[in-house]
Amino acid sequence: MSTSTSLSRPVRGFGPPTEAKPGVPAQIPFDSYATTTALVNGRWAVGHSGAAHGVDTDIDWFPDLDWTAVILSNHDVPGSGATPGLAATARALVTGQ
């Protein structure tokens, strides 16, 4: 099965934009393959996160800023995937909020 048709589709919004809060930038999420893609403070952020018992990880690439943020953590965050507070803080710092 060829994926060229589906890969050539324009990217569409994944959900409603989130408003900026103190220390957390505004974001507009988009569909993508195996990564999260969002506009954060008007800047593209492409990332992936994961978690297991005692381990949380997050990586975000900011292609127009020449930055990559990597978060490796060895603690549990109840009820969530990768460390949301640290990932949001990194996005805010890199995008200049």
Side-chain angles (χ1 to χ4, degrees):
M1 174 177 145
S2 170
T3 58
S4 61
T5 302
S6 61
L7 292 176
S8 64
R9 292 184 310 184
V11 175
R12 63 183 171 82
F14 178 69
T18 60
E19 293 184 23
K21 298 176 185 170
V24 179
Q27 298 185 49
I28 302 171
F30 289 86
D31 280 339
S32 62
Y33 294 96
T35 61
T36 59
T37 305
L39 277 172
V40 182
N41 291 331
R43 303 293 191 159
W44 285 107
V46 180
H48 187 74
S49 62
H53 180 69
V55 178
D56 285 320
T57 63
D58 187 81
I59 184 169
D60 280 326
W61 171 49
F62 302 87
D64 57 338
L65 296 173
D66 293 327
W67 270 90
T68 300
V70 177
I71 298 171
L72 304 173
S73 175
N74 62 349
H75 67 90
D76 289 320
V77 179
S80 70
T83 313
L86 293 176
T89 299
R91 285 182 170 197
L93 289 170
V94 172
T95 60
Q97 179 187 11

